[in-house]
Amino acid sequence: MKFLGCLLSIGLGIASFQSAAQINFSWTVNAGPINPHQTSPNQMYAQAMVYEPLVKYAEGGKLVPWLAKSWTLSDDGTEYTFKLREGVKFSNGEDFNAQAVKLNFEQVLKNIDKHRWLELINQIDKVTVEDELTITLHLKTPYYPTLQELTLVRPVRFMAPSAMPKEGHTGEGIKQPIGTGPWQLKETVLGVKDVFEHNPHYWGKKPNHQQVEVAVIADPNARALAFESGMVNLIYGLEGQISPDTFDRFSKDPSLHTGLSDPISTRLIALNSARSATQELPVRQAMNHAINRDAIAKGIFYGTESPAHTLFARNVPYSDVPLTDYQYSLQQAKSLLDKAGWKLASGSEYRVKDGEQLAVELIYHGHDANQKAIAEVIQANFKQVGIKLNLTAEERSRFYKRQKAGEFDLIFNNTWGAPYDPHSFVSGMRRPSHADYMAQAGLAMKPEIDKNIDAILSSTNEVERKKLYAQLLTTLHEQAVYLPVTYMRITGVASQKLGKLNMGATVFDIPFEQLK
């Protein structure tokens, strides 16, 4: 009855779901104010529909011109000069030009404390207008991920100057969500739907549909029912949009179009090198050998996620490094623990060394059913080699507090995904505000790891940068401070009339414009 009530409320908000000129999508919440320079409650899929970047992130991490048609970099690596595309207009008809770009950068910098998580914002010295369609971004020091971070959905995308507040800055609100993207917001009904229509001034290829109507459906099972009833004709996203078993069922239906992206991010567990038995390298290595990743990928995710053996999938930029995988081998795990002095007495379930039982704690998010299921599989895997794994569920705020404070033996943690990986993720390793820093804190070579990351981010030589990344990823892999579980992938399901799905390069770039 809960799902039926949800569907009835959706149906009241979607009167035209059978229109061939309309895509019917769904999301867990309303799109929000769609402020390009802010985070929650602004939903990233909607920000990507309305606003565009100077540079776009394409498949495999390739960077392609977008609102900027070309760019040059100064010899010292601190000045990026962008030539802007001619004839681009905002959805209200305003011209997109160098002055508009400068104003958007200035709005972000006025609220810099909100954006310091992104290293590019810390590196910006100033932005200068060279002519109507040319701007120069001046950095304080060389920062190689500049172009990569300009592809992000937020905070450096561009809204019409007339939509900015006259006083203060966009961090305090905007007048309207007006961008250069292929879509513009038409209507919002709180708790029911958001409606987008195509931007009549769009400079690129026009969408094939007049509208995208986004129903608010919080539950993935209700979303699947809405799809089967015809109220929704597109489901797209990472976990939470559709359950793995439902996707598996839909993928076997020849009347539907389904798609799986390349790996987008890594689902992993951080191992604390500064406390408990995970201080010992052989214990961390044994744990990596003890986990049955294939069983998790097939049994929990029905193949929508694939087994992960390295921190980043090899399709991630700079991550195609020759590393020896920790293959599933109970015998290898037992051998490592034996050599480390953790002995399993006859008739005992768990190993002991110096009178201490080999017991560790895994922290998972209490409201995440997938984390709970994975934790239970790993608990059984570890028991087979004599490791006692205690499971602790935490609510959201306490979960992240424990990550930040290093109050864990093992804790769930994902990489940030495309387009943040690898540069943004490794950048965050240097600060004690993430599980990654705390996981590495007990390593004798932690200062060298951080220096390596500094060198990577300031490198202006591609060959040298690849070498530095290889050194970093090899060290982290050999030190086994991560337990990679699966590579997460975007799942998509479309009705027959929408045609084949082309999966986006990031989870935020939903290919509405490419659907027939």
Side-chain angles (χ1 to χ4, degrees):
M1 293 301 293
K2 177 182 176 183
F3 291 165
L4 178 60
C6 179
L7 290 173
L8 287 173
S9 67
I10 294 165
L12 292 173
I14 307 177
S16 55
F17 69 84
Q18 293 179 331
S19 169
Q22 181 169 293
I23 297 169
N24 290 100
F25 186 55
S26 68
W27 202 248
T28 53
V29 293
N30 280 105
I34 318 183
N35 183 332
H37 305 149
Q38 291 297 296
T39 55
S40 181
N42 302 279
Q43 298 302 299
M44 297 176 86
Y45 85 86
Q47 290 169 307
M49 293 175 73
V50 173
Y51 305 106
E52 296 182 298
L54 293 175
V55 184
K56 192 173 181 67
Y57 188 95
E59 185 177 354
K62 184 180 179 181
L63 303 177
V64 298
W66 209 249
L67 290 180
K69 65 179 184 180
S70 64
W71 54 86
T72 56
L73 177 61
S74 63
D75 292 339
D76 67 357
T78 63
E79 294 181 359
Y80 288 79
T81 299
F82 296 91
K83 293 287 185 181
L84 305 180
R85 196 177 294 276
E86 301 94 341
V88 176
K89 292 183 179 294
F90 291 99
S91 59
N92 64 352
E94 282 182 60
D95 289 333
F96 170 79
N97 53 33
Q99 187 60 35
V101 171
K102 184 175 188 293
L103 288 172
N104 275 267
F105 272 107
E106 289 174 347
Q107 288 290 333
V108 172
L109 293 174
K110 285 179 182 179
N111 192 28
I112 191 169
D113 286 342
K114 180 70 179 288
H115 305 300
R116 289 196 185 278
W117 64 271
L118 187 64
E119 185 60 26
L120 171 61
I121 305 305
N122 297 317
Q123 292 292 340
I124 295 175
D125 181 28
K126 60 182 178 180
V127 178
T128 57
V129 172
E130 310 302 333
D131 60 41
E132 186 179 3
L133 292 175
T134 309
I135 65 112
T136 299
L137 179 63
H138 303 263
L139 305 181
K140 298 169 186 174
T141 61
Y143 183 62
Y144 107 78
T146 294
L147 294 176
Q148 283 85 345
E149 294 190 356
L150 286 175
T151 70
L152 302 182
V153 171
R154 56 197 187 201
V156 189
R157 292 208 177 186
F158 304 94
M159 67 181 304
S162 65
M164 298 175 185
K166 290 184 178 179
E167 304 293 336
H169 54 75
T170 51
E172 299 165 348
I174 61 175
K175 296 178 182 178
Q176 290 177 277
I178 299 174
T180 63
W183 305 98
Q184 60 182 351
L185 183 67
K186 178 184 179 182
E187 178 188 8
T188 291
V189 181
L190 191 62
V192 178
K193 65 179 180 178
D194 297 287
V195 182
F196 298 84
E197 61 183 2
H198 76 80
N199 171 6
H201 299 286
Y202 189 53
W203 59 273
K205 182 183 177 183
K206 299 293 187 289
N208 295 317
H209 297 83
Q210 179 69 26
Q211 288 190 159
V212 177
E213 192 160 302
V214 186
V216 177
I217 307 177
D219 184 88
N221 294 312
R223 182 175 295 108
L225 288 173
F227 184 88
E228 291 177 304
S229 73
M231 292 180 179
V232 168
N233 56 23
L234 174 67
I235 301 175
Y236 189 96
L238 280 178
E239 58 171 346
Q241 293 305 305
I242 186 173
S243 64
D245 58 327
T246 302
F247 178 82
D248 180 64
R249 177 165 59 86
F250 284 166
S251 66
K252 295 172 182 175
D253 186 337
S255 70
L256 302 177
H257 297 279
T258 58
L260 272 175
S261 73
D262 289 334
I264 289 292
S265 62
T266 308
R267 185 192 298 276
L268 52 85
I269 294 170
L271 309 181
N272 196 330
S273 61
R275 79 176 210 175
S276 79
T278 50
Q279 292 180 83
E280 299 180 34
L281 176 59
V283 172
R284 300 195 300 270
Q285 291 173 329
M287 289 176 173
N288 267 277
H289 281 296
I291 178 176
N292 191 339
R293 298 170 174 85
D294 287 337
I296 291 170
K298 294 174 183 176
I300 297 175
F301 296 106
Y302 290 78
T304 59
E305 298 188 11
S306 52
H309 294 279
T310 52
L311 177 59
F312 300 113
R314 287 186 166 87
N315 67 309
V316 174
Y318 302 104
S319 301
D320 191 10
V321 177
L323 300 171
T324 302
D325 293 346
Y326 291 98
Q327 296 292 348
Y328 175 53
S329 171
L330 298 180
Q331 187 56 47
Q332 182 70 7
K334 291 175 182 178
S335 176
L336 284 162
L337 294 172
D338 284 338
K339 290 176 182 178
W342 290 99
K343 301 300 183 181
L344 186 62
S346 178
S348 298
E349 286 188 307
Y350 301 111
R351 293 174 181 268
V352 173
K353 181 167 74 171
D354 299 330
E356 180 184 354
Q357 187 181 67
L358 182 48
V360 290
E361 180 187 37
L362 171 58
I363 312 300
Y364 68 93
H365 194 305
H367 295 293
D368 191 319
N370 287 333
Q371 285 190 10
K372 183 176 186 293
I374 293 167
E376 290 171 348
V377 171
I378 295 176
Q379 184 181 51
N381 290 161
F382 281 12
K383 186 175 182 179
Q384 290 179 290
V385 298
I387 301 173
K388 184 178 184 180
L389 184 64
N390 298 311
L391 306 182
T392 300
E394 295 282 17
E395 53 85 24
R396 182 181 179 87
S397 62
R398 178 62 182 159
F399 177 86
Y400 289 112
K401 183 178 180 181
R402 290 188 69 157
Q403 273 196 347
K404 183 175 180 178
E407 296 175 359
F408 62 86
D409 301 332
L410 298 87
I411 195 165
F412 277 90
N413 187 37
N414 296 346
T415 69
W416 297 3
Y420 300 94
D421 291 344
H423 60 278
S424 293
F425 187 77
V426 303
S427 177
M429 292 176 181
R430 301 171 298 167
R431 300 180 179 88
S433 56
H434 301 283
D436 309 282
Y437 180 93
M438 305 312 299
Q440 300 168 22
L443 300 179
M445 71 286 293
K446 177 58 175 168
E448 285 70 35
I449 289 173
D450 290 350
K451 287 179 182 177
N452 189 330
I453 296 171
D454 289 341
I456 286 171
L457 297 177
S458 61
S459 171
T460 57
N461 183 292
E462 179 73 6
V463 173
E464 178 66 17
R465 190 181 307 135
K466 287 181 179 179
K467 180 180 177 182
L468 291 168
Y469 263 119
Q471 291 173 354
L472 173 66
L473 296 179
T474 299
T475 297
L476 294 175
H477 187 75
E478 291 177 347
Q479 290 300 312
V481 287
Y482 294 103
L483 187 66
V485 181
T486 56
Y487 296 125
M488 302 172 73
R489 299 191 287 177
I490 304 167
T491 56
V493 184
S495 66
Q496 190 172 46
K497 72 174 185 178
L498 293 183
K500 182 180 177 181
L501 272 172
N502 295 303
M503 309 305 286
T506 78
V507 70
F508 318 116
D509 295 311
I510 302 173
F512 296 119
E513 302 80 41
Q514 298 177 34
L515 296 170
K516 72 179 183 180

